[in-house]
Amino acid sequence: MSTDPRPDDGAAGTAPCRRPDIARTLIGCVGNAVSQWARIARSQVTEHEIEMFRHVDHANAQLLGRVIRDHGWPGYRLVGEDGASAAWWIALHADSLLTVQNLALQLMYEAVRQGDASLPQWAHLTDRALTNAHKLQEFGTQYRQGATGLERQPVHAPDTLDQRRIAIGLVPAADALETLRRRLDAPPRYGALPGEPPADLSGTA
């Protein structure tokens, strides 16, 4: 798959969506999961709670799978910008249903080409799918806690990482890592759509 899906010029993500009901459902799922992602990222949960939260992510992934089956990728036109972002957050955490995560990645790729989804968000989901497949990520958006603190998971061709990131609208890798470290050190802020890093530390870097 190409790593550069270019959006069509004529598409707009701000037009009224066709299915506000689906948008509300997706946004509600993410709103309910925000606090758990922030707590896991900060290692503020017990093993029992982690298992409970995994069930939540699994249920959300199942829901997204049904939406995708019936409507394709829920992009801007179907569910609006917030609904599309919520779908992406759910796909990013669909680690227990890799068939849904990988299908979401494929469909989101086509949506980006049509101007119906976010290119930086697609890059995050690409990296997540690659790390789940035990491969090197392309854009350096996935992190983990290492022996000396937060660290980026291994990246393909690290010497040209910033070139790839800037080409798709991401900030340089060092700036992203520093921003994520500051977020983890600060008290979490909860909202309908998170700016906080999720449990897998993919963040918005």
Side-chain angles (χ1 to χ4, degrees), residues 5-75:
R6 296 294 181 181
D8 293 340
D9 292 336
T14 56
C17 65
R18 298 195 305 267
R19 293 298 302 267
D21 56 323
I22 297 176
R24 286 192 296 270
T25 298
L26 294 170
I27 292 169
C29 289
V30 172
N32 290 334
V34 170
S35 61
Q36 75 180 41
W37 295 339
R39 289 180 61 202
I40 292 175
R42 292 169 171 81
S43 301
Q44 297 174 342
V45 290
T46 66
E47 287 297 324
H48 176 68
E49 287 175 317
I50 289 175
E51 188 62 30
M52 291 174 56
F53 294 159
R54 285 174 180 158
H55 285 301
V56 173
D57 288 340
H58 185 80
N60 287 345
Q62 289 179 314
L63 172 78
L64 179 62
R66 291 193 295 271
V67 172
I68 287 174
R69 179 195 62 203
D70 294 340
H71 303 281
W73 177 254

Side-chain angles (χ1 to χ4, degrees), residues 170-185:
L170 294 173
V171 301
D175 295 344
L177 180 56
E178 180 59 28
T179 296
L180 186 52
R181 283 172 173 162
R182 287 199 304 268
R183 284 179 181 163
L184 290 176
D185 289 339

Side-chain angles (χ1 to χ4, degrees), residues 78-121:
L78 185 73
V79 295
E81 187 172 351
D82 283 351
S85 290
W88 166 71
W89 279 104
I90 293 171
L92 201 65
H93 288 84
D95 299 332
S96 65
L97 278 178
L98 294 182
T99 54
V100 170
Q101 189 174 76
N102 290 326
L103 179 58
L105 178 63
Q106 296 172 23
L107 295 175
M108 193 176 185
Y109 173 84
E110 294 303 326
V112 169
R113 289 176 59 89
Q114 298 168 21
D116 203 30
S118 161
L119 179 57
Q121 288 179 353

